[in-house]
Amino acid sequence: MLVLPALRLLHDTFALPGGGYGFDHIVKVVRNPVDREAIGSSLALGFVQATLATAIGAPAAWLITRMRLGGRAFWLSLMNVASNFAGIGLAFGFVALIGSTGMLTLILRALLGIDGNPFPSTGSFGGMNLVYLYFNVPMFVLLTLPALSVLKDDWQEAAEVCHATRLQFWRHVGIPVLSPFVVAGWLLVFTWTIGVYAVAYAVASSPSAMKLITLQIGTTLETSVFGLGRAAVLSVLLMLLAVLATVLYRLSLKRAARWL
């Protein structure tokens, strides 16, 4: 299910129309400014999303672990719903909320007298970051929440007995212990973001919208009459990024396993 399609993509990446193998498809993708923009935009979106999800999700996950059972159950339920609510439905929800004729946009226009849309276009870099955060932050929380149990209360009490301040505890114990788990969550969010297609397709319908790797693959599959070499090259690039992220993820968890 995974190996055979991957081998086929590798074959289509290097296969030449006249027979034999070469780097023609790769050269065409590298020389195409639209493809270069799509690669750069996908990497930038993945980096920003992973960083924002970490900055918001890590403190949120820590707070959830400190809640009582009822509050923890409520927030976990909410996170589960939000992390699984993606695709076309989520994109439509944001368009209906902050689009040019969205509900919140019209309310702000009426109350504050704002001309135009106060929110970024859903297909722009800022708009996509807003949409993606809706499911990336809950996903990061759910991924890292079990790891936070590694940091035991006994350690903090021991640090207090040794007259260590809270800042010293987090600097020398808390952050070093949790950082491998946080890095692993960052890598998963980064990989997930660059591979999303349905949400990006729904919000990036305008010609001025962002170009992304997944959208370029979809466009090639829909419109190409000269073969699928371009889609294969971009797909292999996604595969390589996923493999690299998986290797780094495993290394992070291996480092974190010292505390288990």
Side-chain angles (χ1 to χ4, degrees), residues 124-150:
S124 65
F125 186 78
M128 281 197 172
N129 273 291
L130 285 176
V131 177
Y132 278 45
L133 277 178
Y134 184 88
F135 56 84
N136 275 337
V137 170
M139 183 173 67
F140 182 90
V141 171
L142 294 176
L143 288 172
T144 57
L145 199 59
L148 295 179
S149 61
V150 175

Side-chain angles (χ1 to χ4, degrees), residues 156-164:
Q156 188 166 354
E157 293 174 1
E160 292 175 356
V161 169
C162 296
H163 301 287

Side-chain angles (χ1 to χ4, degrees), residues 5-6 8-10 12-13 29 35 39 194-195 212-218 220-221 228-243:
R8 178 56 188 270
L9 286 173
L10 288 172
D12 292 345
T13 297
V29 169
D35 290 337
I39 294 171
I194 62 176
L212 298 174
I213 295 176
T214 52
L215 295 180
Q216 294 305 108
I217 294 173
T220 302
L221 294 176
L228 302 177
R230 178 194 187 197
V233 172
L234 294 174
S235 298
V236 169
L237 176 60
L238 283 179
M239 287 168 46
L240 293 176
L241 290 172
V243 169

Side-chain angles (χ1 to χ4, degrees), residues 13-16 19-26:
T13 297
F14 296 102
L16 301 177
Y21 295 92
F23 298 94
D24 289 9
H25 296 309
I26 298 176

Side-chain angles (χ1 to χ4, degrees), residues 1-251:
M1 296 297 293
L2 292 176
V3 175
L4 293 181
L7 292 177
R8 178 56 188 270
L9 286 173
L10 288 172
H11 172 271
D12 292 345
T13 297
F14 296 102
L16 301 177
Y21 295 92
F23 298 94
D24 289 9
H25 296 309
I26 298 176
V27 172
K28 289 179 181 178
V29 169
V30 172
R31 290 180 176 177
N32 189 337
V34 176
D35 290 337
R36 292 201 305 269
E37 179 186 352
I39 294 171
S41 298
S42 293
L43 294 177
L45 183 63
F47 180 84
V48 171
Q49 275 298 297
T51 304
L52 290 177
T54 302
I56 300 172
W62 175 254
L63 290 175
I64 291 175
T65 61
R66 297 304 172 188
M67 292 180 180
R68 294 183 178 180
L69 184 60
R72 189 185 309 171
F74 170 78
W75 283 103
L76 286 177
S77 301
L78 191 63
M79 294 291 173
N80 272 295
V81 172
S83 63
N84 287 284
F85 181 57
I88 302 297
L90 176 64
F92 173 77
F94 269 89
V95 171
L97 182 67
I98 63 172
S100 57
T101 57
M103 180 182 67
L104 189 56
T105 302
L106 296 178
I107 291 175
L108 291 178
R109 284 179 185 173
L111 294 178
L112 305 177
I114 299 175
D115 294 329
N117 190 350
F119 301 100
S121 170
T122 52
S124 65
F125 186 78
M128 281 197 172
N129 273 291
L130 285 176
V131 177
Y132 278 45
L133 277 178
Y134 184 88
F135 56 84
N136 275 337
V137 170
M139 183 173 67
F140 182 90
V141 171
L142 294 176
L143 288 172
T144 57
L145 199 59
L148 295 179
S149 61
V150 175
L151 198 62
K152 298 178 173 56
D153 294 335
D154 297 345
W155 297 354
Q156 188 166 354
E157 293 174 1
E160 292 175 356
V161 169
C162 296
H163 301 287
T165 63
R166 185 177 294 271
L167 180 61
Q168 288 174 324
F169 169 79
W170 280 105
R171 179 183 176 185
H172 297 287
V173 180
I175 293 178
V177 171
L178 295 180
S179 57
F181 297 104
V182 173
V183 170
W186 189 98
L187 289 168
L188 288 179
V189 173
F190 173 82
T191 308
W192 171 259
T193 299
I194 62 176
V196 171
Y197 176 72
V199 177
Y201 178 80
V203 301
S205 57
S206 64
S208 59
M210 282 182 64
K211 304 294 189 296
L212 298 174
I213 295 176
T214 52
L215 295 180
Q216 294 305 108
I217 294 173
T219 301
T220 302
L221 294 176
E222 292 176 359
T223 62
S224 179
V225 294
F226 302 105
L228 302 177
R230 178 194 187 197
V233 172
L234 294 174
S235 298
V236 169
L237 176 60
L238 283 179
M239 287 168 46
L240 293 176
L241 290 172
V243 169
L244 177 61
T246 302
V247 171
L248 295 176
Y249 173 78
R250 295 294 299 174
L251 292 175

